[in-house]
Amino acid sequence: VQSDPVDLLKYIADNMIRELKANKATLKTKPGIVYSLAYKYVVPYADLPEMSKRVLPPKIWNSATPSQRAQFQKEFTRLVIRTYASALTSYQDQEVRFFPMRAKGGNSAEVKSEITSSSRPAISVSYRLLNQGGSWKLYDMSVEGVSLISSFRSQFASILANGNMDTLLNRLSKHNNG
């Protein structure tokens, strides 16, 4: 599965959709179902250290202690899952179609897809992956051209402008626990 980026993303999407369909009746009342699905099917194939590093300014990341980096990665992972899981709780009949990759080479890839539904216009989603030791890992995704990394980077920049890494960690922790 992990030797081809498109196959990996299809595997994740197929499993998520199958489970979302099976749990459709309770998704809104039990969001924990969606969180557990994300931890089961997405997290193992996401490059969380890379995402965490890319979402912060290099100066902040490089000056953070190892424990601050670990705490940030944990809180950032929770934030990403909560953010995108909330969208999945409104699952109806969406299907995902992946497009073949045009150029494969090196250790990075971008895969484009479209989420279609009988009741809404199609949504374009692209995924960016890195190959590490023969396994592809997801490190960014863009929905309708808006990158997850860029979006969070700008949110964090405004917090960091008035504080430091500890300020950011406290805000993330409060948000994730709220």
Side-chain angles (χ1 to χ4, degrees), residues 62-93:
N62 292 333
S63 64
T65 66
S67 94
Q68 285 175 319
R69 289 180 186 179
Q71 187 185 351
F72 177 77
Q73 184 179 316
K74 181 181 144 218
E75 295 294 351
F76 180 60
T77 301
R78 287 179 65 203
L79 177 66
V80 170
I81 286 176
R82 284 177 58 130
T83 302
Y84 286 85
S86 65
L88 295 175
T89 58
S90 57
Y91 175 81
Q92 296 297 319
D93 63 348

Side-chain angles (χ1 to χ4, degrees), residues 7 15 24 37 54 69-70 72 76 104 109 141:
D7 289 347
N15 279 297
K24 197 163 126 177
L37 293 178
R54 286 179 185 238
R69 289 180 186 179
F72 177 77
F76 180 60
K104 236 197 285 192
M141 62 185 276

Side-chain angles (χ1 to χ4, degrees), residues 97 99 111-116 121-127 141-146:
R97 186 171 63 134
F99 300 104
V111 177
K112 296 187 182 308
S113 74
E114 192 175 67
I115 299 173
T116 56
I123 299 168
S124 68
V125 181
S126 66
Y127 303 88
M141 62 185 276
S142 297
V143 178
E144 293 295 330
V146 179

Side-chain angles (χ1 to χ4, degrees), residues 3-62:
S3 60
D4 180 79
V6 177
D7 289 347
L8 173 64
L9 292 168
K10 280 182 182 171
Y11 168 81
I12 294 168
D14 290 350
N15 279 297
M16 287 293 289
I17 287 171
R18 187 187 73 243
E19 298 268 3
L20 289 169
K21 280 180 181 170
N23 292 285
K24 197 163 126 177
T26 57
L27 292 177
K28 283 232 187 285
T29 55
K30 296 182 183 167
I33 292 171
V34 182
Y35 299 158
S36 65
L37 293 178
Y39 277 102
K40 184 176 179 181
Y41 294 114
V42 180
V43 169
Y45 305 105
D47 189 338
L48 297 164
E50 188 67 26
M51 290 173 84
S52 299
K53 183 178 165 184
R54 286 179 185 238
V55 78
L56 291 175
K59 187 177 96 179
I60 298 290
W61 181 258
N62 292 333

Side-chain angles (χ1 to χ4, degrees), residues 116-156:
T116 56
S117 163
S118 60
S119 57
R120 298 187 193 133
I123 299 168
S124 68
V125 181
S126 66
Y127 303 88
R128 296 173 70 198
L129 303 96
L130 291 172
N131 191 330
Q132 297 170 326
S135 294
W136 288 98
K137 296 265 188 175
L138 180 67
Y139 76 90
D140 194 12
M141 62 185 276
S142 297
V143 178
E144 293 295 330
V146 179
S147 153
L148 174 136
I149 295 283
S150 299
S151 178
F152 282 119
R153 189 184 295 139
S154 62
Q155 288 177 41
F156 297 158

